[in-house]
Every structure is written in C-alpha cells, then in structure tokens.
Amino acid sequence: MTNEYEEFVRKIKLKTGIDLSLYKEAQMKRRLVSLYEKKGFTSFHTYYQALAYQEDLLAEFLDRITINVSEFYRNRKRWEVLEETILPQLTKGNETLKVWSAACSTGEEPYTLAMVLSSYYPLSHIKILATDLDETVIEKAKIGLYAEKSLQEVPVHIKNKYFTSQGLFYKVNDEIKKTVTFKKHNLLADPFSQQFDLIVCRNVLIYFTEEAKHQLYQKFSDSLRKGGVFFVGSTEQVFQPQKYGLEVVDTFFYRKL
C-alpha cells in the first residue's frame, strides 16, 4: 500500500497543487482510507481514478484533508492574553494593524480577532486577511452563520453587540464581516505577504511533518515586521524560537526580533 499511497500523493499534487507528503503520513493515510472505504472504494488507485473525474468527490476529499474544527474565542484565556498583554504593545502609536488569520477555517478565528481588536480601534480601521486552503469553508465563513455551540466562549457583551439570533443560529453582524477579507491560500505552496503586525495560525501546524513545520515557522517569521507577533494554538509550541528570529513573549506568543 505504501507505493500505492506514494503514487496517489504524486497524482494529487499534480492535480491540486496540494502536497500530502508534508502532512503526517499515518494520520493522513488513516483519514483517507476511512473516507474511500465509506465511498465503496478498495484502494488508493481506484479512489484516485474516481476523484479525477468526479468533481463532487474531489470537493469532499479536499474538505476531508483540511481540518476544520473551530469556535469563537477558542481557548479563551489565550485571547485574554492577546487583548490585555499583547495588543497594548502592538497598537501603541499605530493607527491600524496589519493582521493575518492563516488557515482560518469557517471564520470564527478572524471574526474573533475583529471583536478583540474593536477594544482598540473603530471597526472601520480594522482590516484582517483570512486565508484557507478549502474554498468550501471560506464560503461558509463569508456567510457568517453559526450554531450556538460555536459561541460558548464568547463574552456576553460581545455576543449581544456583534451577533444576531436567527432561530437556532447566530449571525455575525455585517460591521464585523466587513473587517475581514477571505482568500484561498495554500500555506505549503503559496508565497506569503509581508510586514504583518500580527499573524494567528492555531491548531493547524500539529498536522504537518517536522520538516514542513520548520519551513512554515521560517516563512511566518519572515512575514512579520520587526516586533510583530506570531500567535499559535494551545497544542503547539515553537521550540528554539530564536532559530527563526523569534522570542517568547508569553505562552504561545512569539515576537519577531
């Protein structure tokens, strides 16, 4: 199966530009075998033959390999550190911040960023770039409609101010939606913009190989302005941050030297 998987990886890269070899192999293989068996396929070979010609199957495959688990204010204590410790330093003397939410999934993270930044700037001054590999989740994010369980960590005053109840769901207000620009972006293949004040990339890097992580840490560091901050997830930590020109500011926060 290893050779068959390698051939599958090669063909997927040619077809989609996504390099599966940069993801942890055991996890990815397990996820894909489970997916193709549910669809009635018996091998990577037969699965690829179908993927090559069935757009809905390919869309489902892409949705499955991109991990989309998110909620507003996920690990809320970290967002409190951002609001109370990190942002006072970043916003000092700056009329606005250049902010990137990388691998933004269905939009909870960039919208949370906008809500946190609203303590420092009027919404008209807030501009956030939000990117993801999966166009399906980007479309969901643009709609901005969420189940109540996604809002469990949202402070009550923020929930009242920036969400509207719609039956069993909550919709993010348009004034928050206008602060975020969504774009498709492949972290492992596409170039990064530069001079960011704040980059948030949480609970994504754990799925990549060590080699891919090293490359990404360097690319993120290169994309920050001097003094800019990189905010990672609570299952992630940058070991030897100085290797990438970074220093620890707080747990899961790193500053560009």
Side-chain angles (χ1 to χ4, degrees):
M1 186 191 271
T2 302
N3 289 343
E4 197 183 279
Y5 180 70
E6 284 170 7
E7 182 65 8
F8 180 81
V9 168
R10 189 183 68 77
K11 286 178 174 172
I12 287 294
K13 188 175 181 184
L14 283 172
K15 184 162 183 67
T16 67
I18 295 165
D19 190 351
L20 295 177
S21 71
L22 296 172
Y23 291 80
K24 291 177 181 170
E25 186 174 316
Q27 285 181 354
M28 183 55 74
K29 206 187 270 186
R30 199 163 52 241
R31 192 178 298 138
L32 291 177
V33 169
S34 159
L35 179 62
Y36 78 55
E37 285 179 346
K38 274 181 190 159
K39 291 287 164 187
F41 298 101
T42 54
S43 67
F44 280 108
H45 176 68
T46 55
Y47 184 42
Y48 182 78
Q49 285 181 313
L51 282 180
Y53 298 105
Q54 295 180 36
E55 277 189 24
D56 57 335
L57 206 60
L58 182 63
E60 184 185 21
F61 159 77
L62 292 172
D63 192 46
R64 190 62 189 265
I65 64 161
T66 53
I67 295 90
N68 300 312
V69 180
S70 195
E71 62 187 74
F72 290 92
Y73 287 80
R74 187 175 180 181
N75 311 115
R76 183 163 154 184
K77 290 278 178 232
R78 296 294 94 209
W79 289 98
E80 287 170 6
V81 171
L82 176 67
E83 187 165 355
E84 294 161 17
T85 307
I86 308 296
L87 285 178
Q89 301 164 26
L90 283 181
T91 56
K92 200 172 178 183
N94 286 319
E95 283 184 21
T96 187
L97 295 181
K98 188 175 180 182
V99 181
W100 178 20
S101 168
C104 67
S105 188
T106 41
E108 290 92 334
E109 180 179 279
Y111 291 141
T112 300
L113 271 167
M115 292 167 196
V116 170
L117 283 164
S118 72
S119 300
Y120 291 87
Y121 297 112
L123 290 176
S124 58
H125 286 214
I126 298 171
K127 297 281 177 282
I128 297 162
L129 171 66
T131 64
D132 202 276
L133 179 63
D134 185 344
E135 289 179 277
T136 313
V137 299
I138 288 174
E139 288 312 309
K140 283 184 191 167
K142 285 178 181 174
I143 294 164
L145 194 64
Y146 299 94
E148 188 164 11
K149 66 177 170 44
S150 296
L151 280 73
Q152 285 172 8
E153 296 288 326
V154 179
V156 175
H157 72 284
I158 292 287
K159 189 173 173 180
N160 292 339
K161 189 171 183 181
Y162 293 128
F163 291 89
T164 308
S165 172
Q166 293 195 352
L168 297 172
F169 294 90
Y170 284 84
K171 186 150 193 168
V172 176
N173 290 2
D174 285 348
E175 54 183 351
I176 287 288
K177 284 165 71 174
K178 282 176 189 165
T179 67
V180 182
T181 302
F182 290 98
K183 285 184 181 171
K184 184 182 179 184
H185 183 267
N186 183 340
L187 285 176
L188 296 167
D190 295 336
F192 287 17
S193 296
Q194 302 296 305
Q195 292 294 301
F196 285 104
D197 297 286
L198 175 64
I199 297 175
V200 182
C201 185
R202 307 179 74 225
N203 310 304
V204 176
L205 298 167
I206 49 169
Y207 298 103
F208 296 135
T209 62
E210 289 307 308
E211 184 194 346
K213 274 189 219 170
H214 290 317
Q215 288 174 16
L216 286 170
Y217 289 148
Q218 193 57 61
K219 284 169 84 174
F220 281 127
S221 175
D222 292 344
S223 292
L224 286 166
R225 67 158 174 83
K226 187 182 172 187
V229 171
F230 180 40
F231 177 18
V232 300
S234 52
T235 50
E236 297 156 333
Q237 225 167 331
V238 182
F239 296 105
Q240 296 180 290
Q242 63 282 0
K243 206 160 89 174
Y244 309 103
L246 301 168
E247 64 176 355
V248 178
V249 199
D250 205 302
T251 315
F252 311 115
F253 291 92
Y254 301 88
R255 185 190 288 118
K256 173 80 172 276
L257 293 165

mmCIF file of all heavy atoms in Angstrom, residues 12 23 29 38 58 76 86 93 105 111 116 121 142 145 160 164 176-177 182 184 186 203 237 239 249 256:
data_model
loop_
_atom_site.group_PDB
_atom_site.id
_atom_site.type_symbol
_atom_site.label_atom_id
_atom_site.label_comp_id
_atom_site.label_asym_id
_atom_site.label_seq_id
_atom_site.Cartn_x
_atom_site.Cartn_y
_atom_site.Cartn_z
ATOM 1 N N ILE A 12 -2.114 13.539 -6.738
ATOM 2 C CA ILE A 12 -2.893 14.609 -6.087
ATOM 3 C C ILE A 12 -2.134 15.936 -6.173
ATOM 4 O O ILE A 12 -2.725 16.997 -6.417
ATOM 5 C CB ILE A 12 -3.212 14.246 -4.610
ATOM 6 C CG1 ILE A 12 -4.288 13.147 -4.553
ATOM 7 C CG2 ILE A 12 -3.640 15.465 -3.803
ATOM 8 C CD1 ILE A 12 -5.664 13.549 -5.067
ATOM 9 N N TYR A 23 2.177 16.330 5.188
ATOM 10 C CA TYR A 23 1.336 16.019 6.346
ATOM 11 C C TYR A 23 1.832 14.716 6.980
ATOM 12 O O TYR A 23 2.409 13.875 6.298
ATOM 13 C CB TYR A 23 -0.129 15.823 5.919
ATOM 14 C CG TYR A 23 -0.834 17.073 5.444
ATOM 15 C CD1 TYR A 23 -0.653 17.558 4.153
ATOM 16 C CD2 TYR A 23 -1.699 17.765 6.278
ATOM 17 C CE1 TYR A 23 -1.312 18.706 3.704
ATOM 18 C CE2 TYR A 23 -2.371 18.902 5.843
ATOM 19 C CZ TYR A 23 -2.161 19.361 4.562
ATOM 20 O OH TYR A 23 -2.816 20.491 4.128
ATOM 21 N N LYS A 29 -3.092 8.980 6.052
ATOM 22 C CA LYS A 29 -3.457 7.719 5.397
ATOM 23 C C LYS A 29 -4.706 7.125 6.052
ATOM 24 O O LYS A 29 -5.633 6.679 5.380
ATOM 25 C CB LYS A 29 -2.276 6.748 5.492
ATOM 26 C CG LYS A 29 -2.252 5.715 4.378
ATOM 27 C CD LYS A 29 -1.169 4.681 4.616
ATOM 28 C CE LYS A 29 0.128 5.091 3.991
ATOM 29 N NZ LYS A 29 1.136 4.023 4.100
ATOM 30 N N LYS A 38 -15.665 4.242 2.996
ATOM 31 C CA LYS A 38 -17.068 4.659 3.144
ATOM 32 C C LYS A 38 -17.740 4.874 1.789
ATOM 33 O O LYS A 38 -18.947 4.704 1.640
ATOM 34 C CB LYS A 38 -17.149 5.973 3.949
ATOM 35 C CG LYS A 38 -17.163 5.763 5.452
ATOM 36 C CD LYS A 38 -17.272 7.103 6.172
ATOM 37 C CE LYS A 38 -17.045 6.921 7.658
ATOM 38 N NZ LYS A 38 -16.659 8.164 8.323
ATOM 39 N N LEU A 58 -14.082 14.971 -5.496
ATOM 40 C CA LEU A 58 -12.839 15.719 -5.257
ATOM 41 C C LEU A 58 -13.063 16.799 -4.203
ATOM 42 O O LEU A 58 -12.235 16.997 -3.312
ATOM 43 C CB LEU A 58 -12.343 16.346 -6.567
ATOM 44 C CG LEU A 58 -11.026 17.127 -6.481
ATOM 45 C CD1 LEU A 58 -9.864 16.212 -6.087
ATOM 46 C CD2 LEU A 58 -10.706 17.821 -7.803
ATOM 47 N N ARG A 76 -10.145 30.473 25.514
ATOM 48 C CA ARG A 76 -10.411 31.897 25.775
ATOM 49 C C ARG A 76 -9.304 32.607 26.557
ATOM 50 O O ARG A 76 -9.027 33.785 26.331
ATOM 51 C CB ARG A 76 -11.749 32.022 26.520
ATOM 52 C CG ARG A 76 -12.151 33.460 26.775
ATOM 53 C CD ARG A 76 -13.604 33.550 27.127
ATOM 54 N NE ARG A 76 -13.908 34.718 27.929
ATOM 55 C CZ ARG A 76 -15.112 34.974 28.427
ATOM 56 N NH1 ARG A 76 -16.106 34.147 28.205
ATOM 57 N NH2 ARG A 76 -15.319 36.041 29.144
ATOM 58 N N ILE A 86 -0.686 41.550 24.824
ATOM 59 C CA ILE A 86 -0.009 41.673 23.532
ATOM 60 C C ILE A 86 -0.440 42.930 22.775
ATOM 61 O O ILE A 86 0.375 43.714 22.302
ATOM 62 C CB ILE A 86 -0.264 40.422 22.649
ATOM 63 C CG1 ILE A 86 0.075 39.126 23.398
ATOM 64 C CG2 ILE A 86 0.506 40.531 21.337
ATOM 65 C CD1 ILE A 86 1.514 38.945 23.784
ATOM 66 N N GLY A 93 0.978 53.675 19.268
ATOM 67 C CA GLY A 93 1.496 54.527 18.185
ATOM 68 C C GLY A 93 1.088 54.066 16.791
ATOM 69 O O GLY A 93 1.526 54.645 15.799
ATOM 70 N N SER A 105 -10.240 28.433 8.549
ATOM 71 C CA SER A 105 -11.394 27.533 8.611
ATOM 72 C C SER A 105 -12.692 28.304 8.327
ATOM 73 O O SER A 105 -12.741 29.120 7.418
ATOM 74 C CB SER A 105 -11.442 26.810 9.957
ATOM 75 O OG SER A 105 -12.438 25.817 9.965
ATOM 76 N N TYR A 111 -13.037 36.485 12.809
ATOM 77 C CA TYR A 111 -14.098 37.314 13.393
ATOM 78 C C TYR A 111 -13.819 37.571 14.876
ATOM 79 O O TYR A 111 -14.086 38.672 15.381
ATOM 80 C CB TYR A 111 -15.468 36.652 13.205
ATOM 81 C CG TYR A 111 -15.955 36.624 11.758
ATOM 82 C CD1 TYR A 111 -16.617 35.511 11.251
ATOM 83 C CD2 TYR A 111 -15.766 37.713 10.907
ATOM 84 C CE1 TYR A 111 -17.078 35.478 9.937
ATOM 85 C CE2 TYR A 111 -16.214 37.692 9.595
ATOM 86 C CZ TYR A 111 -16.863 36.569 9.108
ATOM 87 O OH TYR A 111 -17.319 36.541 7.802
ATOM 88 N N VAL A 116 -11.931 41.330 19.204
ATOM 89 C CA VAL A 116 -10.897 41.693 20.194
ATOM 90 C C VAL A 116 -10.268 43.038 19.829
ATOM 91 O O VAL A 116 -10.076 43.905 20.691
ATOM 92 C CB VAL A 116 -9.827 40.575 20.278
ATOM 93 C CG1 VAL A 116 -8.630 41.030 21.106
ATOM 94 C CG2 VAL A 116 -10.417 39.302 20.883
ATOM 95 N N TYR A 121 -9.639 49.813 18.292
ATOM 96 C CA TYR A 121 -9.855 50.600 17.078
ATOM 97 C C TYR A 121 -11.333 50.602 16.701
ATOM 98 O O TYR A 121 -12.036 49.625 16.960
ATOM 99 C CB TYR A 121 -9.095 49.974 15.891
ATOM 100 C CG TYR A 121 -7.594 49.947 16.030
ATOM 101 C CD1 TYR A 121 -6.920 48.735 16.183
ATOM 102 C CD2 TYR A 121 -6.846 51.125 15.985
ATOM 103 C CE1 TYR A 121 -5.542 48.694 16.291
ATOM 104 C CE2 TYR A 121 -5.459 51.099 16.093
ATOM 105 C CZ TYR A 121 -4.812 49.883 16.253
ATOM 106 O OH TYR A 121 -3.444 49.856 16.359
ATOM 107 N N LYS A 142 -17.819 33.430 4.867
ATOM 108 C CA LYS A 142 -18.365 34.688 4.330
ATOM 109 C C LYS A 142 -19.833 34.866 4.713
ATOM 110 O O LYS A 142 -20.297 35.984 4.904
ATOM 111 C CB LYS A 142 -18.230 34.693 2.800
ATOM 112 C CG LYS A 142 -16.805 34.932 2.312
ATOM 113 C CD LYS A 142 -16.777 34.870 0.788
ATOM 114 C CE LYS A 142 -15.381 35.079 0.246
ATOM 115 N NZ LYS A 142 -15.327 34.867 -1.223
ATOM 116 N N LEU A 145 -22.798 32.465 9.558
ATOM 117 C CA LEU A 145 -23.907 31.909 10.348
ATOM 118 C C LEU A 145 -23.397 30.710 11.149
ATOM 119 O O LEU A 145 -22.791 29.797 10.582
ATOM 120 C CB LEU A 145 -25.024 31.468 9.402
ATOM 121 C CG LEU A 145 -26.394 31.153 10.002
ATOM 122 C CD1 LEU A 145 -27.033 32.397 10.626
ATOM 123 C CD2 LEU A 145 -27.329 30.577 8.937
ATOM 124 N N ASN A 160 -23.910 39.998 22.568
ATOM 125 C CA ASN A 160 -25.046 40.925 22.412
ATOM 126 C C ASN A 160 -24.762 42.009 21.370
ATOM 127 O O ASN A 160 -25.657 42.463 20.655
ATOM 128 C CB ASN A 160 -25.383 41.586 23.751
ATOM 129 C CG ASN A 160 -25.945 40.571 24.744
ATOM 130 O OD1 ASN A 160 -26.429 39.515 24.350
ATOM 131 N ND2 ASN A 160 -25.850 40.873 26.030
ATOM 132 N N THR A 164 -26.502 38.412 15.861
ATOM 133 C CA THR A 164 -27.954 38.474 15.815
ATOM 134 C C THR A 164 -28.483 37.050 15.831
ATOM 135 O O THR A 164 -28.035 36.208 15.042
ATOM 136 C CB THR A 164 -28.429 39.176 14.522
ATOM 137 O OG1 THR A 164 -27.762 40.432 14.407
ATOM 138 C CG2 THR A 164 -29.930 39.406 14.552
ATOM 139 N N ILE A 176 -18.827 43.599 11.483
ATOM 140 C CA ILE A 176 -17.680 42.734 11.769
ATOM 141 C C ILE A 176 -17.218 42.039 10.490
ATOM 142 O O ILE A 176 -16.024 41.961 10.192
ATOM 143 C CB ILE A 176 -18.036 41.672 12.852
ATOM 144 C CG1 ILE A 176 -18.138 42.320 14.227
ATOM 145 C CG2 ILE A 176 -17.004 40.537 12.887
ATOM 146 C CD1 ILE A 176 -16.823 42.762 14.856
ATOM 147 N N LYS A 177 -18.184 41.545 9.698
ATOM 148 C CA LYS A 177 -17.835 40.849 8.453
ATOM 149 C C LYS A 177 -17.018 41.737 7.512
ATOM 150 O O LYS A 177 -16.103 41.255 6.830
ATOM 151 C CB LYS A 177 -19.102 40.351 7.760
ATOM 152 C CG LYS A 177 -19.679 39.111 8.433
ATOM 153 C CD LYS A 177 -21.092 38.815 8.004
ATOM 154 C CE LYS A 177 -21.198 38.328 6.604
ATOM 155 N NZ LYS A 177 -22.590 37.915 6.283
ATOM 156 N N PHE A 182 -11.472 37.416 2.895
ATOM 157 C CA PHE A 182 -11.153 35.984 2.789
ATOM 158 C C PHE A 182 -10.514 35.675 1.440
ATOM 159 O O PHE A 182 -10.963 36.165 0.404
ATOM 160 C CB PHE A 182 -12.427 35.147 2.940
ATOM 161 C CG PHE A 182 -12.990 35.155 4.336
ATOM 162 C CD1 PHE A 182 -14.027 36.003 4.685
ATOM 163 C CD2 PHE A 182 -12.466 34.319 5.311
ATOM 164 C CE1 PHE A 182 -14.548 36.018 5.972
ATOM 165 C CE2 PHE A 182 -12.981 34.318 6.610
ATOM 166 C CZ PHE A 182 -14.019 35.168 6.935
ATOM 167 N N LYS A 184 -8.346 32.279 -0.788
ATOM 168 C CA LYS A 184 -7.803 30.914 -0.810
ATOM 169 C C LYS A 184 -6.274 31.000 -0.787
ATOM 170 O O LYS A 184 -5.678 31.822 -1.487
ATOM 171 C CB LYS A 184 -8.267 30.188 -2.077
ATOM 172 C CG LYS A 184 -7.808 28.736 -2.099
ATOM 173 C CD LYS A 184 -8.223 28.015 -3.362
ATOM 174 C CE LYS A 184 -7.700 26.582 -3.319
ATOM 175 N NZ LYS A 184 -7.985 25.842 -4.551
ATOM 176 N N ASN A 186 -2.645 28.344 0.008
ATOM 177 C CA ASN A 186 -2.004 27.094 0.417
ATOM 178 C C ASN A 186 -0.729 27.439 1.191
ATOM 179 O O ASN A 186 0.244 27.914 0.616
ATOM 180 C CB ASN A 186 -1.669 26.264 -0.836
ATOM 181 C CG ASN A 186 -1.065 24.911 -0.509
ATOM 182 O OD1 ASN A 186 -0.539 24.695 0.587
ATOM 183 N ND2 ASN A 186 -1.113 24.001 -1.455
ATOM 184 N N ASN A 203 -3.632 25.604 15.893
ATOM 185 C CA ASN A 203 -4.160 24.241 15.808
ATOM 186 C C ASN A 203 -4.186 23.695 14.379
ATOM 187 O O ASN A 203 -5.088 22.972 13.992
ATOM 188 C CB ASN A 203 -5.569 24.182 16.421
ATOM 189 C CG ASN A 203 -5.602 24.827 17.801
ATOM 190 O OD1 ASN A 203 -4.855 24.440 18.694
ATOM 191 N ND2 ASN A 203 -6.420 25.851 17.972
ATOM 192 N N GLN A 237 3.822 24.560 20.106
ATOM 193 C CA GLN A 237 4.841 25.393 20.720
ATOM 194 C C GLN A 237 6.012 25.461 19.755
ATOM 195 O O GLN A 237 6.343 24.458 19.122
ATOM 196 C CB GLN A 237 5.308 24.776 22.045
ATOM 197 C CG GLN A 237 5.409 25.801 23.139
ATOM 198 C CD GLN A 237 5.566 25.152 24.505
ATOM 199 O OE1 GLN A 237 5.086 24.048 24.731
ATOM 200 N NE2 GLN A 237 6.240 25.818 25.403
ATOM 201 N N PHE A 239 9.628 25.311 19.415
ATOM 202 C CA PHE A 239 10.850 25.009 20.161
ATOM 203 C C PHE A 239 12.010 25.739 19.485
ATOM 204 O O PHE A 239 12.060 25.852 18.272
ATOM 205 C CB PHE A 239 11.085 23.492 20.203
ATOM 206 C CG PHE A 239 9.998 22.769 20.947
ATOM 207 C CD1 PHE A 239 9.029 22.035 20.268
ATOM 208 C CD2 PHE A 239 9.907 22.848 22.334
ATOM 209 C CE1 PHE A 239 8.001 21.386 20.953
ATOM 210 C CE2 PHE A 239 8.883 22.204 23.035
ATOM 211 C CZ PHE A 239 7.934 21.470 22.333
ATOM 212 N N VAL A 249 7.095 35.827 24.040
ATOM 213 C CA VAL A 249 6.526 36.984 24.759
ATOM 214 C C VAL A 249 5.650 36.475 25.900
ATOM 215 O O VAL A 249 5.591 37.032 26.974
ATOM 216 C CB VAL A 249 5.602 37.844 23.849
ATOM 217 C CG1 VAL A 249 5.415 39.229 24.445
ATOM 218 C CG2 VAL A 249 6.106 37.944 22.444
ATOM 219 N N LYS A 256 8.884 38.859 16.766
ATOM 220 C CA LYS A 256 9.974 38.926 15.782
ATOM 221 C C LYS A 256 11.058 39.848 16.320
ATOM 222 O O LYS A 256 10.818 40.984 16.677
ATOM 223 C CB LYS A 256 9.411 39.470 14.460
ATOM 224 C CG LYS A 256 10.464 39.751 13.378
ATOM 225 C CD LYS A 256 10.890 38.485 12.652
ATOM 226 C CE LYS A 256 11.777 38.819 11.470
ATOM 227 N NZ LYS A 256 10.993 39.175 10.277
#
